[in-house]
Amino acid sequence: MRPRRMDTASRIVHAPPRVIYQALLDPDAVVKWRPPAGMTARIHAFDAREGGSFRMAFIYSGDDHAVQGKTIRDADIFEGQFQELVPDQRVVEIIEFLSNDPAFSGKMTVTTSLRPVPGGTEVTISCENVPEGIRVEDHQAGMASTLGNLAAYTEKPAS
């Protein structure tokens, strides 16, 4: 059994926890902020309730990506379940990549925590039991990109 790896990233987002929490559970929002730079998202199923499941793909935007997709060359397809939803505080998801490569096997627990701070919310993504096929530096860059996207999405001025 491989050791359980934990990767974490945080960012201050200048939006209230309520707005961020809603963006975590709205499939139309998720496709806009969740995929890291160089990728787009497609949602195949999304049932945002405790015990509800989801299935989505992150698709590489171009042919010149250095990292091979986990499922096919140009995509990471994964499915999971919402394990815990605490309004305006925390979302816990169990994610499993669809891959024939054992380096991407196993269930990863992704916890997104929201903590009010002056001027906004500290958003922390903690990934436990990260598959060994995901390089630490790639994962850190991906999480930082995702948090940047979340900030850009939720910090939009009201229209």
Side-chain angles (χ1 to χ4, degrees):
M1 186 172 162
R2 66 183 159 93
R4 297 174 68 88
R5 186 175 109 207
M6 171 88 76
D7 293 347
T8 302
S10 294
R11 179 183 175 126
I12 302 297
V13 176
H14 302 289
R18 172 187 49 77
V19 169
I20 297 167
Y21 184 78
Q22 289 171 351
L24 298 176
L25 301 179
D26 175 358
D28 294 330
V30 169
V31 297
K32 294 176 181 151
W33 68 262
R34 194 160 188 175
M39 301 185 97
T40 59
R42 183 174 303 135
I43 293 181
H44 302 284
F46 200 86
D47 182 11
R49 62 180 174 83
E50 282 191 11
S53 62
F54 56 87
R55 181 182 172 113
M56 65 182 81
F58 286 174
I59 303 149
Y60 287 93
S61 301
D63 291 334
D64 59 349
H65 53 88
V67 178
Q68 176 88 2
K70 295 169 189 62
T71 308
I72 58 174
R73 183 186 184 295
D74 295 326
D76 299 344
I77 301 173
F78 54 97
E79 55 191 18
Q81 183 176 46
F82 291 100
Q83 184 177 44
E84 180 183 17
L85 301 176
V86 180
D88 307 339
Q89 294 179 31
R90 182 174 50 257
V91 173
V92 180
E93 303 162 282
I94 307 298
I95 293 175
E96 191 165 15
F97 292 100
L98 304 181
S99 178
N100 291 326
D101 185 340
F104 298 111
S105 68
K107 294 182 179 185
M108 178 171 64
T109 302
V110 178
T111 302
T112 305
S113 302
L114 310 176
R115 186 175 68 86
V117 296
T121 305
E122 181 182 37
V123 181
T124 301
I125 300 173
S126 300
C127 301
E128 184 179 355
N129 199 30
V130 178
E132 63 188 27
I134 301 174
R135 295 181 339 154
V136 173
E137 56 272 21
D138 292 339
H139 204 207
Q140 290 297 328
M143 289 189 298
S145 177
T146 293
L147 286 168
N149 295 340
L150 179 63
Y153 183 83
T154 57
E155 292 173 352
K156 289 183 196 173
S159 331

